[in-house]
Amino acid sequence: MYLITDLTGKVPYTTKINDAKTVRDVVVGITGDGRAGDAILGIIGYMSFGNEFICQPRFKVKCVRDVDAEMPLAKSIATTAMRLLATSTDDYAARIWNCIEDAVIADVLECTDDCENGFTNGDVALAIGRAISEQFGVEV
């Protein structure tokens, strides 16, 4: 499995992909360059678990076992959640995140089929809302 992280935005966005040709398509989508996509096909063909290829400041590709893919996704979800929380809760964002982290990550993974096609800021925002609502006993 490959984790492709788009480094072009303010917050890195990670997608997990099983198919090498789909990795190529994602890289072409990020870079807009078919040659970069063709080059990445040659590179990932030689990757083994744990290898990472970084093309700063555009993208990085990491080859991982399926079970290891969940952790980088959890970090990506956490980064997105902290950015969203900081907008509305400022100094309290970290303390709130500590209380709802597990629920939010599990919710995003469940609602997006384990982030098969990635996740959006909206997915994370909804999961945050559900986790906070549960803390107050509000049915969602």
Side-chain angles (χ1 to χ4, degrees):
M1 169 174 294
Y2 301 98
L3 298 176
I4 296 113
T5 304
D6 182 345
L7 302 173
T8 60
K10 289 184 180 179
V11 176
Y13 178 77
T14 301
T15 305
K16 67 179 186 178
I17 296 174
N18 289 319
D19 179 52
K21 289 185 180 182
T22 306
V23 171
R24 179 201 181 279
D25 295 342
V26 170
V27 168
V28 170
I30 292 169
T31 64
D33 184 0
R35 292 178 300 158
D38 293 338
I40 201 65
L41 273 177
I43 292 167
I44 64 175
Y46 291 99
M47 290 179 120
S48 58
F49 295 128
N51 290 145
E52 184 174 68
F53 174 80
I54 301 173
C55 179
Q56 283 285 26
R58 296 170 147 185
F59 65 91
K60 70 178 177 179
V61 177
K62 185 169 186 176
C63 181
V64 297
R65 290 182 171 85
D66 289 351
V67 294
D68 296 333
E70 204 166 300
M71 188 58 182
L73 286 172
K75 285 182 182 179
S76 186
I77 292 167
T79 301
T80 302
M82 284 300 294
R83 185 176 43 77
L84 293 170
L85 281 170
T87 303
S88 59
T89 60
D90 197 26
D91 295 341
Y92 305 106
R95 287 190 261 167
I96 293 169
W97 180 245
N98 286 335
C99 295
I100 63 173
E101 178 178 10
D102 292 337
V104 170
I105 290 172
D107 189 330
V108 171
L109 290 172
E110 181 180 326
C111 292
T112 60
D113 295 328
D114 288 330
C115 297
E116 191 78 22
N117 296 313
F119 64 89
T120 66
N121 287 350
D123 294 329
V124 177
L126 288 171
I128 289 170
R130 284 190 285 268
I132 291 173
S133 294
E134 288 175 7
Q135 297 287 322
F136 292 107
V138 176
E139 283 190 45
V140 189

XYZ file of all heavy atoms in Angstrom, residues 2 11 20 22 28 36 41 44-45 52 55 61 66 72 75 83-85 98 111-113 115:
171
model
N 0.387 2.292 -0.609
C 1.146 3.530 -0.700
C 0.357 4.660 -0.040
O -0.852 4.765 -0.209
C 1.404 3.902 -2.163
C 2.156 2.830 -2.902
C 1.482 1.911 -3.691
C 3.530 2.730 -2.791
C 2.163 0.915 -4.356
C 4.224 1.733 -3.454
C 3.533 0.831 -4.237
O 4.219 -0.153 -4.885
N -2.180 22.497 4.650
C -2.128 21.312 5.491
C -1.902 20.112 4.590
O -2.644 19.919 3.628
C -3.446 21.135 6.282
C -3.432 19.847 7.079
C -3.690 22.321 7.188
N -0.587 0.823 -8.103
C 0.494 1.679 -8.592
C 0.006 2.664 -9.658
O 0.435 3.819 -9.670
C 1.627 0.828 -9.151
N -2.892 3.995 -9.895
C -3.649 5.050 -9.226
C -2.694 6.033 -8.551
O -2.962 7.230 -8.509
C -4.641 4.454 -8.208
O -5.458 3.488 -8.868
C -5.526 5.525 -7.604
N 0.001 12.841 -10.887
C -0.297 13.722 -12.026
C -1.301 14.790 -11.601
O -1.176 15.959 -11.968
C -0.824 12.914 -13.240
C -1.369 13.838 -14.316
C 0.284 12.034 -13.805
N 6.007 13.358 -14.382
C 6.198 13.067 -12.952
C 5.451 11.787 -12.588
O 5.953 10.957 -11.826
C 5.718 14.223 -12.091
N 5.974 5.881 -11.193
C 5.736 4.454 -11.437
C 7.043 3.668 -11.379
O 7.105 2.582 -10.802
C 5.070 4.243 -12.798
C 3.564 4.318 -12.849
C 3.067 4.155 -14.292
C 2.911 3.297 -11.949
N 8.257 3.670 -7.511
C 7.547 2.811 -6.550
C 7.718 1.331 -6.870
O 7.534 0.493 -5.996
C 6.055 3.186 -6.409
C 5.280 2.973 -7.699
C 5.907 4.593 -5.886
C 3.792 3.205 -7.570
N 8.103 1.029 -8.094
C 8.371 -0.358 -8.448
C 9.542 -0.953 -7.673
O 9.636 -2.161 -7.510
N 10.409 5.726 1.500
C 9.659 6.953 1.244
C 10.380 7.758 0.172
O 11.601 7.856 0.175
C 9.549 7.748 2.547
C 8.731 8.999 2.458
C 8.551 9.650 3.820
O 9.542 10.148 4.380
O 7.419 9.641 4.314
N 9.226 14.501 -3.036
C 9.448 15.479 -4.091
C 8.983 16.824 -3.534
O 7.820 17.203 -3.685
C 8.673 15.097 -5.351
S 8.867 16.282 -6.690
N 5.595 9.965 -1.255
C 4.986 8.647 -1.381
C 5.721 7.716 -0.434
O 6.956 7.676 -0.434
C 5.096 8.101 -2.825
C 4.518 6.697 -2.916
C 4.407 9.027 -3.806
N -0.461 -2.655 5.122
C -1.826 -2.197 5.365
C -2.040 -1.779 6.815
O -2.661 -0.752 7.078
C -2.842 -3.273 4.991
C -2.938 -3.480 3.481
O -2.343 -2.677 2.738
O -3.599 -4.437 3.065
N -0.341 7.033 9.925
C -0.183 8.298 9.214
C -1.529 8.961 8.916
O -1.632 10.181 8.945
C 0.543 7.914 7.925
C 1.307 6.693 8.296
C 0.397 5.963 9.251
N -2.585 10.725 12.002
C -1.855 11.988 12.159
C -2.401 13.057 11.230
O -2.526 14.223 11.605
C -0.361 11.774 11.897
C 0.355 11.078 13.009
C 1.839 10.953 12.693
C 2.571 10.217 13.791
N 4.000 10.075 13.495
N -6.331 22.147 13.245
C -6.481 23.396 12.487
C -7.915 23.906 12.588
O -8.161 25.087 12.815
C -6.084 23.190 11.028
C -6.102 24.477 10.207
C -5.608 24.254 8.783
N -6.087 23.068 8.133
C -7.314 22.928 7.606
N -8.171 23.905 7.669
N -7.660 21.807 7.012
N -8.876 22.990 12.453
C -10.286 23.379 12.544
C -10.649 23.835 13.958
O -11.365 24.829 14.128
C -11.187 22.212 12.121
C -11.118 21.810 10.651
C -11.863 20.500 10.429
C -11.682 22.907 9.768
N -10.165 23.117 14.955
C -10.463 23.488 16.339
C -9.830 24.826 16.722
O -10.439 25.627 17.429
C -9.981 22.399 17.300
C -10.850 21.172 17.430
C -10.125 20.083 18.218
C -12.176 21.514 18.101
N -7.576 16.397 23.072
C -7.209 15.265 23.935
C -8.434 14.483 24.401
O -8.357 13.272 24.592
C -6.406 15.750 25.145
C -4.993 16.135 24.777
O -4.447 15.659 23.788
N -4.403 17.025 25.557
N -16.610 6.605 8.591
C -17.494 7.287 7.633
C -16.894 7.431 6.239
O -17.592 7.741 5.290
C -17.882 8.663 8.169
S -18.949 8.578 9.616
N -15.591 7.214 6.126
C -14.938 7.351 4.817
C -14.389 6.016 4.324
O -13.487 5.997 3.485
C -13.788 8.371 4.887
O -12.829 7.926 5.844
C -14.278 9.757 5.232
N -14.906 4.914 4.834
C -14.415 3.582 4.453
C -12.904 3.491 4.619
O -12.173 3.163 3.689
C -14.817 3.224 3.017
C -16.311 3.083 2.858
O -16.975 2.653 3.822
O -16.816 3.403 1.768
N -10.821 5.855 4.877
C -10.166 6.887 4.061
C -9.671 6.321 2.733
O -8.655 6.754 2.204
C -9.043 7.562 4.820
S -9.579 8.454 6.285
